Amino acid sequence: RLIDAIEARECSVVIADEVSRLTREVEEGGRLMKLVDRIGLRVLTADGVDTAREGWRPVWMLKLMAARMEVESTSKRTTRGMLGQLDRGYQIAQPPFGYRAVLDVAPTGRVLGTTWVIQEEEAAIVRRMFECRHQGMSARLIAVELQKGSVLPPGASRSDGKPYWRPPSVSRLWANPIYRGVFVWNGSGYSKSRARRRRETLQTQAFERPALRIVSDELWASCNRKRAAGRTEPAPRGGGKRLFSGLVRCGDCNSLLSLGNCHPSQSLYCAQCEAANRVGAQNGWIGYSSVAAARSALL
């Protein structure tokens, strides 16, 4: 909003405590420098930057690099602190479905850390989900059963719309090793995806949590068998490789529309609404549109 206001000539001076309060990213800092040159923006900071004075650029760049180094240092300190808490037996992040967080407070009132305890009502649902999977039920069918039973999914209280179980949420649940009493550092799908994106080698670390076991090792392993040799996971759709990827949104739920691969007329559809429709959480789904329709709308 600040950049938009500057480019719209709604403000000519930006005042900040220090450069790091504006940005800690080199690219964004360079963009602000270009705005100073292009439209005469003036930036004043309490730590000595005034773009109306000569020689402000070296000072700006030094402070920007220091801010960037502080981001990296903070990240390392945070990582070290989280691993220390795990070593001491505490937990990090939000508890998954089946658990709730409990603060461990010292007599002085200082918070020592957060532990997880099993929430029996949800743990019973977790066991049933594992049993259903062990019997061969798909993630979609399990989501349908949960929807029929009016079971609220994880994060239901934070949902803007009507919460419901999605098949990927079900499959992620039975893949989580915490249900067999093991917490894996860097074991989440998000961490793995980020490591692949950065071409990094991810270092995982397992922490035993026997008090948090909900299912046996055998049941967990039977629900997480590796795919047979030669079979690969289906490739994700879209991903910015085609026109309209990441641009068109659903009129019902405001999610980004996915692109199908049916040539010559590619289809546009809402994966979120489709998933809700498949598990019975939504009725009256509009369905599919097409790339041709989007082109016509633009023209």
Side-chain angles (χ1 to χ4, degrees), residues 142-209:
I142 295 174
V144 171
E145 291 298 318
L146 293 170
Q147 192 65 30
K148 290 179 179 178
S150 300
V151 177
L152 291 176
S157 60
R158 302 188 300 272
S159 177
D160 293 333
K162 180 182 178 181
Y164 64 93
W165 283 90
R166 296 170 172 83
S169 301
V170 175
S171 57
R172 281 196 299 269
L173 184 144
W174 72 54
N176 194 336
I178 193 62
Y179 295 111
R180 63 183 182 92
V182 179
F183 181 89
V184 178
W185 167 263
N186 278 339
S188 68
Y190 171 78
S191 298
K192 294 175 182 176
S193 174
R194 185 178 61 178
R196 285 194 300 269
R197 196 165 56 245
R198 296 179 176 179
R199 299 180 181 179
E200 296 175 345
T201 301
L202 199 63
Q203 299 293 329
T204 60
Q205 187 173 347
F207 296 87
E208 296 291 332
R209 296 290 189 266

